[in-house]
Amino acid sequence: MKALQIVDTGVVRLTDVEKPVPGVGDILLRIKYVGFCGSDLNTYLGRNPMVKMPVIPGHEVGAVIEEIGSNVPSGFFKGMAVTVNPYTNCGKCSSCRNGRVNACEHNETLGVQRNGSMQEFLVLPWTKIIPAQGLNPMECALIEPMSVGFHAVSRGQVTDIDVVVVIGCGMIGLGALIRASLRGATVIAVDIDDEKLEIAKKLGARYGINSKKEDVIQRVREITDGYMADVVIEAVGSPATYITAIDIVSFTGRVVCIGYAKSEVSFQTKYFVQKELDIRGSRNAMPEDFRAVIQYLKNSNCPKDKLISGIFKPENAGDALKAWSENPGKVFRILVEF
């Protein structure tokens, strides 16, 4: 079967690998669509230290069930549209012991620490298969990145009385602002691209701030009558946005960090103490986050077509990554169609 590999910095190839066979408790998936994540782009650019090349990328999956192995419980059937939980958990570390399996110390995500889903077929344990009846496989490929944003909102304990600023309106940031809006919060979207900000407003943001054109601190102060944001969700991963998050959060506010900064960040730590901040990491997603996204996509008027920046065949995936690396601010999700 065909599989896509990133073999070195800037080098992508289509190769043949052996088709997997489902074992006891396994399900064989026919892959339809896989989204490129920021981690895949970093792998392509040689900036992902967790990856050992060559690697098959991809963990944002839209698939249908092809074959069901033995000892799989009822509820699955051939042709069912599904996505997957792409993370592993060891069951023994402190995170797993505390029930927060999304943050397992020894997690291996598809396409990062182990080969991913950009191949024609994929076998996984049935426990990692998430049915998504009512959605098509293309829509299923949007579930995982949105679920990461949904999880960040849970980490921030967002309620209807909160003002929430989401910094970064990529797919994960959009997931965060959607979930915050569904919880009744007043949402302020921050990005450097006006097109992304307009989509953010359609998806639930009440305000949009272009940080290239406006003073973010001053605008948040104006919007909140000086109180600043109760919750700030950082979904970019740069030193500048990390610092901005601390600057615009209110006294006794919560800062939730999703993005990985690629270099060290220098803070005025006095704000941590003076504001008595809760600064929280947010990693991956929990099963309930996946379910919430599926329900949202099924029951909302989400403009899913606007969230897909392009669909490419595997043989053209390298060109898609190259174009994304040259203009990252304009991309929501690139899908590879098998």
Side-chain angles (χ1 to χ4, degrees), residues 222-233:
E222 292 170 357
I223 292 168
T224 62
D225 294 326
Y227 288 103
M228 309 306 280
D230 301 287
V231 182
V232 179
I233 297 175

Side-chain angles (χ1 to χ4, degrees), residues 31 33-41 43 48 50-51 56-62 83-87 107-119 122 124 128 130 140-145 147-148 172 284 290 333:
I31 301 298
Y33 296 91
V34 184
F36 272 129
C37 176
S39 63
D40 300 319
L41 179 61
T43 299
N48 194 336
M50 294 181 287
V51 170
I56 298 172
H59 57 262
E60 302 174 0
V61 180
T83 191
V84 306
N85 183 329
Y87 326 121
N107 167 65
E108 293 185 350
T109 299
L110 285 173
V112 185
Q113 295 94 342
R114 56 181 172 143
N115 278 327
S117 59
M118 286 201 180
Q119 49 190 312
L122 181 70
L124 287 173
K128 295 298 183 181
I130 303 174
C140 288
L142 303 177
I143 294 170
E144 193 275 342
S147 73
V148 176
I172 291 173
N284 300 332
F290 283 88
R333 266 307 171 266

Side-chain angles (χ1 to χ4, degrees), residues 23 52 88 113 154 171 204 233 290 319:
K52 183 179 180 180
T88 64
Q113 295 94 342
S154 294
M171 276 295 295
I233 297 175
F290 283 88
D319 296 332

Side-chain angles (χ1 to χ4, degrees), residues 101-284:
V101 295
N102 59 298
C104 174
E105 182 180 354
H106 307 293
N107 167 65
E108 293 185 350
T109 299
L110 285 173
V112 185
Q113 295 94 342
R114 56 181 172 143
N115 278 327
S117 59
M118 286 201 180
Q119 49 190 312
E120 292 180 278
F121 296 92
L122 181 70
V123 162
L124 287 173
W126 71 267
T127 55
K128 295 298 183 181
I129 308 301
I130 303 174
Q133 288 178 273
L135 300 179
N136 61 49
M138 185 185 298
E139 294 168 331
C140 288
L142 303 177
I143 294 170
E144 193 275 342
M146 275 196 180
S147 73
V148 176
F150 272 46
H151 182 67
V153 171
S154 294
R155 290 285 294 141
Q157 297 176 297
V158 172
T159 73
D160 58 341
I161 63 172
D162 289 323
V163 174
V164 178
V165 175
V166 178
I167 304 177
C169 294
M171 276 295 295
I172 291 173
L174 290 180
L177 71 86
I178 287 167
R179 187 58 161 165
S181 177
L182 289 172
R183 290 191 175 194
T186 300
V187 182
I188 304 170
V190 178
D191 202 276
I192 61 173
D193 186 85
D194 286 330
E195 182 181 355
K196 287 186 174 182
L197 290 170
E198 285 305 310
I199 292 175
K201 289 179 181 178
K202 291 178 181 178
L203 292 174
R206 189 175 301 181
Y207 303 94
I209 301 174
N210 187 319
S211 57
K212 271 191 171 181
K213 302 176 181 179
E214 302 176 84
D215 184 323
V216 176
I217 298 172
Q218 183 58 33
R219 283 289 291 126
V220 172
R221 184 176 288 115
E222 292 170 357
I223 292 168
T224 62
D225 294 326
Y227 288 103
M228 309 306 280
D230 301 287
V231 182
V232 179
I233 297 175
E234 198 288 328
V236 176
S238 77
T241 51
Y242 263 72
I243 292 168
T244 296
I246 301 300
D247 288 339
I248 63 176
V249 72
S250 67
F251 276 66
T252 69
R254 287 97 73 196
V255 177
V256 182
C257 304
I258 311 174
Y260 284 87
K262 307 304 184 293
S263 57
E264 292 185 359
V265 184
S266 297
F267 288 109
Q268 290 288 342
T269 55
K270 66 178 182 180
Y271 294 133
F272 296 9
V273 178
Q274 288 179 349
K275 292 185 176 183
E276 199 175 54
L277 297 181
D278 288 331
I279 302 174
R280 307 172 182 182
S282 182
R283 184 182 180 192
N284 300 332

